[in-house]
């Protein structure tokens, strides 16, 4: 305990240090972009109506979807993880802390990338939206580790992960020109396999054991549903955040269909595999969302309503079966403990989403998309002046790489493989660093327990012990009770 | 128990079957509408700014109100029903499942209606918004039955109800040209009386009894307030969802005023009729919202701020008095058990809303509305070429039926009567079907208990029994406790 | 008890009376503004496309930010205050009641102000947004008094406070032309010091004592986090609500940066000053938000990303230190009891925000703002025709008072001082009135207890007593338990 309180002080200093570094970096690198800049000429429209200020609305107004994505990250992820009986305050509290740090890190990562390209690091509403989406990645990894780390381990993991996320997205999106509108690959698969790799490193040292606090209570399960339902509701905003016009509308419709279908099939599969054919709260809290992940890559494609429903149903099925059969297996055989089952909600559905996206890319023709084909898959646009001229002049389409449908599908699969590969390798490295001296480790006793992080009131602590006593037949506590 | 687990398996198969049928129907019937279609010519604006894609924004941007209505349905209705001490997981879980099925059903129902009219079943953001609103109807009915049915009974009820809802709305809105912007009649009154009719059929067989789990706990009452407050906040979006321009703004203002006034009067009436003049949570959770229902039909009309406040106050008063005096009476005399008191939140305020809408329609003149009169009440537009020409050319008003204010008011009342009639008759038929063999029945012991639906953790189950023991003086449990 | 039930009836009558008066005043004073008015000529655009109705969108579309601010007031403030173990239903319920009354009062106050200026009191979406923002002020004051008053005392306090708020804002914004985009001064500092002044009056009579119900429970702390996180998420909407174009975007970016930084520093400082370097829930629930308050006045100014981060960090630090060291001190020395610690979340950060705003105003030059300078600080615009002509013709800038940067900074500070002054004086007067006969007082035993306001179910009451027994060593209850 004494040792812990020493390292507690170290952790505090590290936390202050991280925020100070962020302030310094932000000061050195970031400026307002042209849209939010008061001193930007284009913000002073010299229009006919005598100087009323007219900022030209960006094609897609980020203010429309931004608040919804914002709610998903903090309320959605935060409350989804409150399902643990005695780790609810940490779940929502650490999501809050981590999110507040990592959104700054994500802005700086994007800023550095833009600096690479444009020699400037402007901030705009679009940056905030991108940063929100990026933050989801380490929060997914956190789900695999929930209750087993100190908060500073999560902070360092998140920072390293966001750097690798940025590199991977740059490679996949800019260099290899793969399409991943709803980030099935870049966010979900990456976050899940990164987190599982870290957990694997932890299991190499300490074989995962049964823990008496690793379960839900009646109320904690209801708190978690706040997260589930908000995620479910706003997933269409997440998947359509990067799109515009008809693409955006299609992504909203496809996502709603897919996630509705995965919700129904997750309920049905849960009842099929559970005792007495009842529903299981873990499945309902998580697998109902798998359709949102699985439609991600293809969200803006012409997969037809029936295609969206089918991929959602498959994701819901896979996800529940994963919770039931696969998670116990990988814990036993691979020693990978996965607290929230992120492999079932983000890992497998993310891979499914990547494959489904490749399939839809392979089926995409000018007949079904018209010239939109070259907006959705820019690499498929012609690169010869002859073919391009009319499209460019009339529809603003830029020169591409003249890829065929099959080539695009191949690149999609390549990027999926690269993403999972980078996630696993960088997750292993990060896990090894986390086990080294830069952060303190958490003892078996402190796992899944809010007491490790929070100054709990006596009442709450007692209540916890009484409950524990009730559930696990401890006989010393009713005595203390009387 | 054995019998239950058999029928449990049947239920699971039915649930899978329902989703498969929905996928098949969606595949056979539904396509992307022109706005979300990549291959739609109008999505490629050949405009002066060299091909930047310009989807013409629909008059009312559904993305502005859609997320709010979405939150109302799943968070609002879902959490509002978590007030029961041991049925919170079912309340939020079954709302989630039911909503995910029924939003698909609602899209198909609308698709079939559009097919009838236009020979095509396109999906658009508008369809999603309409489907969300439609789903509210069976969720209201579910409120009357909460805790007394299996989940498949609710699913079948919801599907039948949405079909009848679609028929009724088609008759009322398209054929009889009644106005019901906020759906006081089509959603609220219909949903309430349909649910009460089903409950009546249940009561014919099993007289409603006192049940020891039919009450709230301290925390369940707070969970329910999440639902109440989100419903209250976003009700203006619900009532204005179908409107545009000044009509929409008026509907937002009127609804906020009405629901504020009903909130205050519900609190006051609750304290007036309760012991020691304290507030009652059931009233606060429900009757505070009655003003949103009651202003629904007239939301877009020129009822003046004071009119909105007055109808809201009346609705709040009626609703609390209904909970206090009418609900016990109809349970005793008519054997209609109404778990959430939907008669007081949706039934009576819905009828009040229909009547208030008829009154306002009867008072509407060209003097107070100008030509907007013919946009809000299309049936009142002239049908003679002479009168119509200028309005049509300058304001896009189509030929109507030349109704007088009195005639329009009469039609409004006629539609109210038809709505309640169809709801009751189809509710009775649905109730009789639900009692037949196609779904299993729930035993008295399983009522209002999450154990009927959920694989609860041991801890939670024990806790439940202990609490039950505490409250009802059972003496066997403290023994097991020690 | 008997006496309480008598005054309970009086309270009910007062509550009915307040709503009746509001209906009468609204009827006498308020009309639909031109935008929501059906009979307004400008709503019938006689445009080229044959009469399609085109309401000119107001520069800033209130529908974009309005729902977010709405959520902050009722969900944010309401749930933030549920942290008390046995006062959660009152916290969320009284916020609900108070909000519903005061939003009407705020509309009437604004209406009267407009009547003063324009001889008309129109309602528009902008009025609703302004009213929402205004309602935050008395809810902040309520935080200082939570658990210590009757509900009618809060209602009367809120009404008086809104009147004084309106006067103060009129003086500060219209007469002295200070800028306070995010209302650090007008809402946060005013609300906090008003509430503390009322609490001071209460402490003059009854010295604040330790109370056994003044603490959190495990679940109440999680409920409170619903409020915290929604406030945190939507604070950028609050601070940018009154702005447009690039100013609005800058306010969103600045607020997100500032509140992220205050979140991280609040966590770190909490761990620094708490036992064993753990986090404290009170700090996390409140001080994490201090950056939103502190950036308020300067939200729309060019304070650079690094400036926003720095002021947020300072606010988070100040706020936690305030909770730890200052609150106990002012309770002991000044007898000011501050239930939610509003001095630390709204008082000090509000003053900091006012000062930071003055500093930024003092640094604002035409070089860094271009002509936007005169839009953000209208009083700095030239008043001589010679200089003004080009700006007016091309950018719509009106004549100002030709203030220098230093003068503007001085006025900013003056308005801060006036605001705190008016808040304290009018708070003292209101406190004295509240102690007089027009409202009943609450006994020490009823404090912080939902039983004072709610007809609790027996189960809930028993549970409460058992918990109390557990925590405070009461020995009679475990007996009843067995």
């Amino acid at each position: 305990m004494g040792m812990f309180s020493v390292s507690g002080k170290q952790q505090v200093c590290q936390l202050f240090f991280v925020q100070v570094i962020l302030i310094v970096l932000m000061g050195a690198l970031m400026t307002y972009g042209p849209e939010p800049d008061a001193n930007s000429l284009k913000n002073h429209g010299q229009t006919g109506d005598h100087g009323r200020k007219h900022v030209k609305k960006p094609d897609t107004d980020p203010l429309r979807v931004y608040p919804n994505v914002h709610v998903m990250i903090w309320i959605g992820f935060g409350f989804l993880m409150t399902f643990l009986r005695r780790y609810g305050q940490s779940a929502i509290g650490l999501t809050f802390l981590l999110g507040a740090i990592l959104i700054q890190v994500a802005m700086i990562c994007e800023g550095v990338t833009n600096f690479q390209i444009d020699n400037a690091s402007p901030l705009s509403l679009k940056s905030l939206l991108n940063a929100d989406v990026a933050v989801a990645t380490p929060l997914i990894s956190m789900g695999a580790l929930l209750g087993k780390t100190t908060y500073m381990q999560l902070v360092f993991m998140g920072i390293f992960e966001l750097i690798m996320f940025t590199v991977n997205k740059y490679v996949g999106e800019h260099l290899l020109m793969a399409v991943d509108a709803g980030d099935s690959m870049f966010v979900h698969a990456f976050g899940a396999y990164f987190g599982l790799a870290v957990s694997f490193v932890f299991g190499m040292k300490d074989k995962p054991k049964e823990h008496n606090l690793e379960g839900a209570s009646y109320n904690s399960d209801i708190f978690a549903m706040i997260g589930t339902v908000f995620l479910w509701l706003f997933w269409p905003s997440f998947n359509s955040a990067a799109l515009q016009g008809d693409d955006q509308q299609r992504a909203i419709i496809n996502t709603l269909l897919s996630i509705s279908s995965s919700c129904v099939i997750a309920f049905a599969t849960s009842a099929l595999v559970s005792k007495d054919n009842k529903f299981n709260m873990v499945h309902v809290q998580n697998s109902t969302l798998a359709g949102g992940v699985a439609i991600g890559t293809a969200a803006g494609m012409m997969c037809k309503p029936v295609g969206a429903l089918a991929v959602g149903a498959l994701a819901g099925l896979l996800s529940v079966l994963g919770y039931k059969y696969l998670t116990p297996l990988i814990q036993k055989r691979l020693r990978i403990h996965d607290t929230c089952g992120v492999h079932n909600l983000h890992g497998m559905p993310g891979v499914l989403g990547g494959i489904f996206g490749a399939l839809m890319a392979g089926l995409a023709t000018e007949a079904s998309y018209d010239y939109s084909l070259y907006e959705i898959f820019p690499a498929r646009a012609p690169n010869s002046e002859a073919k391009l001229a009319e499209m460019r002049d009339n529809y603003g389409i830029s020169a591409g790489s003249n890829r065929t449908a099959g080539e695009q599908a191949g690149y999609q699969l390549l990027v999926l493989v690269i993403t999972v590969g980078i996630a696993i390798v960088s997750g292993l490295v990060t896990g090894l660093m986390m086990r080294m001296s830069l952060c303190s480790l958490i003892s078996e006793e402190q796992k899944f327990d809010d007491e490790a992080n929070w100054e709990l009131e006596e009442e709450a602590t007692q209540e916890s012990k009484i409950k524990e006593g009730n559930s696990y037949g401890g006989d010393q506590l009713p005595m203390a009770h009387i």
Side-chain angles (χ1 to χ4, degrees), chain A residues 124-267:
Chain A
S124 65
L125 294 188
K126 192 79 192 165
S127 323
L128 304 196
L129 184 55
N130 289 342
D132 258 9
V133 169
V135 165
T137 318
L139 290 182
I140 290 167
S141 307
M142 174 183 160
L145 303 169
L146 191 71
K148 298 175 295 185
T149 66
T150 64
Y151 64 89
M152 280 314 295
Q153 285 181 314
L154 291 178
V155 170
F156 286 121
M157 183 194 79
I159 295 172
F160 294 132
E161 183 168 358
L162 276 182
I163 295 169
M164 295 314 297
F165 163 87
T166 307
V167 170
N168 179 59
K169 193 164 184 174
Y170 184 79
V171 170
E173 205 171 66
H174 287 272
L175 302 187
L176 301 176
M177 299 190 83
V179 173
D180 194 14
D183 290 297
S184 301
M185 301 188 285
F186 298 144
V187 167
H188 295 288
F190 189 94
Y193 289 104
F194 188 100
L196 292 168
V198 173
S199 193
F200 174 78
V201 177
F202 279 37
M204 283 161 57
K205 190 172 174 190
D206 302 303
K207 190 177 162 187
K209 292 175 212 146
E210 293 277 316
H211 197 292
N212 69 354
L213 286 180
E214 212 193 335
S217 73
Y218 188 73
N219 281 330
S220 73
D221 266 333
I222 298 183
F223 277 120
M225 288 300 289
I226 299 176
T228 300
V229 177
F230 271 110
L231 283 169
W232 192 88
L233 290 174
F234 291 154
W235 214 291
S237 296
F238 189 92
N239 280 356
S240 68
L243 303 175
Q244 301 155 229
D246 59 294
D247 302 10
Q248 188 179 48
Q249 298 201 20
R250 212 156 48 241
I252 290 170
I253 293 171
N254 286 337
T255 305
L256 184 74
L257 290 172
S258 177
I259 208 166
S260 294
S261 161
S262 75
C263 178
V264 179
I265 294 298
F267 266 94

Side-chain angles (χ1 to χ4, degrees), chain A residues 21 52 81 99 167 188 270 294 364-365 405 439 448 452 464 472:
Chain A
I21 291 289
R52 296 283 288 295
M81 293 197 268
V167 170
H188 295 288
S270 178
T365 60
C439 320
F448 310 112
S464 140
Y472 299 95

Side-chain angles (χ1 to χ4, degrees), chain A residues 41-57:
Chain A
L41 276 180
K42 60 168 278 210
N43 289 341
H44 303 280
Q46 229 158 327
T47 58
D49 61 338
H50 288 271
R52 296 283 288 295
K53 196 192 285 193
H54 281 286
V55 178
K56 193 187 164 316
K57 233 192 210 165

Side-chain angles (χ1 to χ4, degrees), chain A residues 23 28 142 155 196 302 305 325 373 381 436 443:
Chain A
I23 294 180
M142 174 183 160
V155 170
L196 292 168
M302 293 285 285
Y325 303 110
L373 187 66
M436 284 162 56
S443 73

Side-chain angles (χ1 to χ4, degrees), chain A residues 297-312:
Chain A
T297 303
M301 303 183 194
M302 293 285 285
C303 62
K304 291 200 181 146
V306 68
L309 286 174
V311 76

Side-chain angles (χ1 to χ4, degrees), chain A residues 27-109:
Chain A
L29 291 171
M30 311 299 284
T31 56
Y32 298 120
E35 280 150 9
D37 192 348
N39 190 11
S40 172
L41 276 180
K42 60 168 278 210
N43 289 341
H44 303 280
Q46 229 158 327
T47 58
D49 61 338
H50 288 271
R52 296 283 288 295
K53 196 192 285 193
H54 281 286
V55 178
K56 193 187 164 316
K57 233 192 210 165
D59 275 19
T60 186
D61 177 5
L63 271 183
R64 269 201 322 201
V65 290
Y66 174 61
N68 299 353
V69 175
H70 219 44
V71 168
M72 287 178 78
I73 302 302
W74 275 269
I75 292 284
F77 281 101
F79 276 94
L80 182 56
M81 293 197 268
T82 58
F83 73 102
L84 286 172
R85 180 163 57 241
R86 290 299 300 173
Y87 208 65
Q89 298 189 357
S90 298
I92 184 72
L94 297 186
T95 303
F96 192 25
L97 171 62
L98 221 66
I101 294 174
L102 296 179
I103 200 169
Q104 300 175 58
V105 175
M107 285 179 206
I108 292 172
C109 285

